[in-house]
Amino acid sequence: MLSFLYENIGIKIKTLAAVSFIVEAVTAVIAGIVMIFDYAPLAGLLTLLFGPVIAFVASWLLYGFGELIDKLERIEKHTKGLVTKFNSNIEDSKKPMKPIEKLSGEIECPVCGQKMPKGRGKCESCGQIFNSNPPKAPFNPEKDVIKGTHTWRCDKCNTLITKYPCAFCGYDPEKAKNIPLKVSVNSNGNIVCPVCNKEQNKENLKCESCEQIFINGQPDIPFWCKKCGRPGPYDNYCPNCGSSIKISNEKSY
């Protein structure tokens, strides 16, 4: 109820020190004058001269204590302001923001000012999320058209492109196919990738160059893993990569 009396206590202590000095100094002057004209001229003169000085020195301790509290209160307010601002920045970083588009074709982060190539989903410096990237969706020839040229979204970074490999992330589906291909052993005892013609060890399940997945074995194998190309049979998850997707010549399951 009376909490307002204790607000800004540091300033009030400094005010009290100043008032105390004035009261003590005036009292010393009056006492000194009385003593000079009454009964002790020498003592009165000393009181008149040194009384205000002693009162001033005595007020230093009280004023210094008030100054200390005042500065601590300022530091506390400043710290709370920094914490509030920091928490606000964290919350803002979770909200997608539109990046600033530059004439050079780059984009600029609205939070830290970092410049980067267009198409990034978040800032490379501070991690601020951008909302400029469209949500991932299958290719729609009626909507995904730029200046009359059919485009599609990259399967890896979701950027609209007109051809592969992707100009933004370098992804090329021809060099990273999910459907395994059958390969045969040549006269050297090795296999040749049917995509990039890289000759390599016949035990490889994936091309060393373009990452095309292989099926090593005869066509009568029951199924193979869609992710790494390991031939079956095996139960449940692929023992090589853990994938649950199995591919056969008839169906996926």
Side-chain angles (χ1 to χ4, degrees), residues 3-246:
S3 58
F4 70 93
L5 294 176
Y6 300 97
E7 295 177 355
N8 300 320
I9 192 67
I11 296 177
K12 291 178 179 177
I13 291 176
K14 291 193 292 184
T15 303
L16 177 62
V19 172
S20 176
F21 159 67
I22 294 173
V23 171
E24 291 178 4
V26 171
T27 302
V29 170
I30 295 174
I33 294 174
V34 171
M35 292 170 67
I36 290 174
F37 291 99
D38 191 3
Y39 56 89
L42 181 59
L45 181 61
L46 293 175
T47 302
L48 183 65
L49 294 177
F50 295 102
V53 176
I54 295 174
F56 178 64
V57 174
S59 67
W60 284 357
L61 182 61
L62 184 60
Y63 189 90
F65 182 66
E67 182 73 8
L68 178 62
I69 295 179
D70 187 28
K71 288 186 176 181
L72 288 176
E73 289 178 343
R74 293 179 186 177
I75 293 173
E76 182 183 15
K77 290 180 181 179
H78 183 65
T79 303
K80 287 182 178 179
L82 290 177
V83 171
T84 301
K85 185 176 181 181
F86 178 74
N87 292 334
S88 177
N89 290 338
I90 292 178
E91 292 299 323
D92 289 342
S93 66
K94 297 178 182 179
K95 301 176 182 177
M97 300 178 66
K98 185 176 182 180
I100 302 171
E101 297 186 3
K102 296 293 184 179
L103 295 177
S104 60
E106 296 179 318
I107 58 174
E108 180 179 307
C109 176
V111 176
C112 68
Q114 173 70 26
K115 294 182 180 179
M116 64 203 79
K118 191 175 182 179
R120 294 292 189 268
K122 66 178 181 179
C123 178
E124 299 172 348
S125 177
C126 68
Q128 171 63 48
I129 301 173
F130 300 146
N131 61 358
S132 58
N133 289 343
K136 190 170 184 178
F139 169 64
N140 187 335
E142 296 181 358
K143 295 181 179 179
D144 297 338
V145 174
I146 300 178
K147 295 182 180 180
T149 303
H150 287 287
T151 63
W152 56 91
R153 293 183 177 88
C154 174
D155 290 336
K156 189 172 183 179
C157 69
N158 198 33
T159 303
L160 282 175
I161 57 176
T162 56
K163 63 179 180 179
Y164 280 116
C166 175
F168 295 92
C169 68
Y171 176 74
D172 188 347
E174 292 299 323
K175 293 185 178 181
K177 289 184 176 180
N178 289 325
I179 303 301
L181 297 177
K182 292 181 175 67
V183 290
S184 58
V185 180
N186 60 16
S187 58
N188 297 327
N190 296 322
I191 57 175
V192 178
C193 175
V195 176
C196 68
N197 297 320
K198 169 73 174 179
E199 184 175 351
Q200 53 207 287
N201 191 293
K202 66 179 181 179
E203 301 299 329
N204 289 353
L205 297 177
K206 184 182 293 187
C207 177
E208 298 172 351
S209 176
C210 68
E211 298 186 352
Q212 168 62 50
I213 299 173
F214 301 147
I215 302 173
N216 296 339
Q218 300 302 320
D220 58 352
I221 60 174
F223 58 81
W224 60 90
C225 174
K226 181 179 179 180
K227 185 175 181 181
C228 71
R230 178 188 174 92
Y234 56 83
D235 296 327
N236 300 322
Y237 297 97
C238 173
N240 187 52
C241 69
S243 173
S244 62
I245 303 177
K246 302 176 182 179

